[in-house]
Amino acid sequence: MYQYQKIKMNNNPISNFEATIKKEYANIAGIAIRKDGHLIYETYFDGYTKDDVLHIASVTKSIISILIGMAIDKGYINNVEQKVLEFFPDYTVKRGEKTIQKVTIKDLLTMTAPYKYKSEPYTKVYSSDDWVKATLDLLGGRGHIGEFKYSTVGAHILSGVLTNATGQSVKDFAIESLFKPLDITAPQHTFLRNKEEHFAFLKDQYVTGWVVDPSGVNTAGWGLTLTPRDMAKIGQLYLNSGVWGNSQILSSKWIEDSTKEKSRFGELSYGYMWWIVDDDCYAALGDGGNVIFNNPNKKMVVTIASRFIPRAKDRIELIRKHILPLFG
């Protein structure tokens, strides 16, 4: 199909597009595009191949959102209004702390939970022995529930919720519920023992696995590696309203709820860990330029996997300006 598209669309537009990627978006490692349910284009740069996984950064959050929906579908979680602390019965709330007791799963999914920090304390959380507890200790404070506050460390609480609700590791639940049905090769657990290994995972060209904290809980805000093809399958699952093959593996209601505005950050709309980027398009976005972009009207999924660089160029602009006109 990929070769057919290259011939059909003439070499010039494709060559020009790929030259633009190399010149203006040099950290892109791979692009995969699906339309009408089929993989119509994929290409790789800088020595990467279709078999190489990349760290998808905050796209991991959207995968966690999917797993929360699946846990609700399977009855492990009642609904998004369930209080977070119900899943941590051994957690001791500090005297005077009232807000944390009101925080729900929905508040975490929509980034409207309050925290006791101005800037994210990555080092404090990721150098602790228990990242879930360290993050719970930061939850609440004087902030108000309902105000948008994007939090990567805060997302880790959802991994704790999944672990305690299902009785499985997040990875094992993901294998059973998502990866195996979509024929995605499951990543191995990756332990980061010090700051050097942490930064290496973020910056090295080739990394693999799914990061786990010292307690064996997989990260929710970052730390998962997938291929562009894997990402495209996940996007396709959403376009299919949760159906894969002959099986409904995720409820269509969850997909609809996830991709409708639940909170706002300035002019940007946010669902359940998915960004609503247009009236009819939505995306999972990760630092460095990692994207799962869905255009339901065109029945199209665009996925981009990238090596990390600070202040990467806007991938949504790339998709709108170059990819949709060429492939849509």
Side-chain angles (χ1 to χ4, degrees):
M1 180 66 74
Y2 166 54
Q3 293 296 332
Y4 166 73
Q5 284 291 333
K6 270 204 158 184
I7 294 168
K8 180 182 176 184
M9 299 180 70
N10 199 335
N11 198 38
N12 277 340
I14 294 291
S15 296
N16 292 342
F17 166 67
E18 292 175 356
T20 298
I21 297 298
K22 292 175 183 177
K23 181 180 178 182
E24 299 182 23
Y25 301 85
N27 72 315
I28 287 181
I31 300 173
I33 302 171
R34 295 178 69 105
K35 185 172 172 62
D36 298 321
H38 301 287
L39 184 68
I40 64 164
Y41 173 86
E42 65 176 336
T43 194
Y44 297 89
F45 303 90
D46 203 19
Y48 287 92
T49 72
K50 64 180 178 63
D51 299 315
D52 291 322
V53 297
L54 284 99
H55 175 219
I56 61 172
S58 287
V59 173
T60 308
K61 295 181 175 74
S62 303
I63 308 304
I64 291 295
S65 172
I66 293 171
L67 297 178
I68 291 287
M70 289 176 164
I72 291 173
D73 289 345
K74 294 173 184 287
Y76 292 115
I77 297 171
N78 294 336
N79 53 59
V80 294
E81 303 296 344
Q82 203 165 351
K83 301 290 193 296
V84 168
L85 288 187
E86 291 180 32
F87 299 91
F88 305 99
D90 297 331
Y91 181 77
T92 301
V93 178
K94 294 180 176 64
R95 181 178 296 180
E97 284 281 358
K98 295 181 179 179
T99 305
I100 187 175
Q101 300 178 54
K102 301 176 184 177
V103 175
T104 65
I105 291 172
K106 183 177 181 179
D107 297 327
L108 294 177
L109 288 169
T110 58
M111 297 293 177
T112 56
Y115 296 92
K116 305 168 189 170
Y117 60 79
K118 291 184 178 179
S119 59
E120 295 211 58
Y122 298 113
T123 301
K124 181 178 181 179
V125 173
Y126 300 146
S127 63
S128 70
D129 293 332
D130 186 337
W131 296 2
V132 175
K133 182 183 181 302
T135 309
L136 284 170
D137 288 344
L138 295 168
L139 189 60
R142 297 180 181 178
H144 300 288
I145 294 172
E147 295 177 358
F148 190 92
K149 187 169 186 176
Y150 189 85
S151 178
T152 291
V153 296
H156 197 68
I157 296 171
L158 288 172
S159 282
V161 168
L162 281 168
T163 301
N164 292 345
T166 66
Q168 300 174 268
S169 71
V170 176
K171 189 189 85 166
D172 286 346
F173 182 67
I175 291 171
E176 171 193 296
S177 304
L178 180 63
F179 294 155
K180 191 173 181 181
L182 269 57
D183 194 26
I184 292 173
T185 301
Q188 297 299 311
H189 280 160
T190 296
F191 289 89
L192 304 179
R193 294 165 293 186
N194 51 52
K195 186 184 292 186
E196 289 72 29
E197 290 186 0
H198 189 113
F199 283 119
F201 185 87
L202 297 177
K203 296 182 178 181
D204 283 2
Q205 183 169 2
Y206 294 102
V207 293
T208 61
W210 192 345
V211 173
V212 289
D213 70 12
S215 301
V217 177
N218 294 93
T219 48
W222 61 285
L224 175 62
T225 62
L226 293 173
T227 69
R229 279 193 180 191
D230 295 337
M231 296 160 70
K233 288 178 180 179
I234 290 165
Q236 187 69 56
L237 175 68
Y238 264 51
L239 286 189
N240 292 354
S241 299
V243 174
W244 195 264
N246 297 318
S247 300
Q248 184 87 42
I249 68 169
L250 178 62
S251 66
S252 59
K253 184 179 185 305
W254 181 262
I255 292 171
E256 185 177 349
D257 288 346
S258 296
T259 56
K260 292 290 187 291
E261 182 181 316
K262 297 292 187 297
S263 56
R264 288 188 71 83
F265 177 59
E267 296 181 357
L268 298 174
S269 299
Y270 201 66
Y272 292 161
M273 294 185 157
W274 288 82
W275 295 94
I276 294 86
V277 294
D278 286 312
D279 290 338
D280 59 346
C281 299
Y282 54 91
L285 301 177
D287 206 2
N290 291 279
V291 181
I292 301 173
F293 176 94
N294 275 15
N295 185 321
N297 288 341
K298 291 181 178 289
K299 298 180 180 178
M300 191 169 173
V301 182
V302 178
T303 58
I304 302 173
S306 307
R307 291 177 291 103
F308 174 77
I309 58 169
R311 297 177 295 281
K313 287 189 69 174
D314 185 355
R315 299 309 196 242
I316 301 301
E317 179 187 5
L318 167 66
I319 291 168
R320 287 175 178 151
K321 185 176 178 180
H322 295 284
I323 294 178
L324 292 180
L326 189 56
F327 297 95

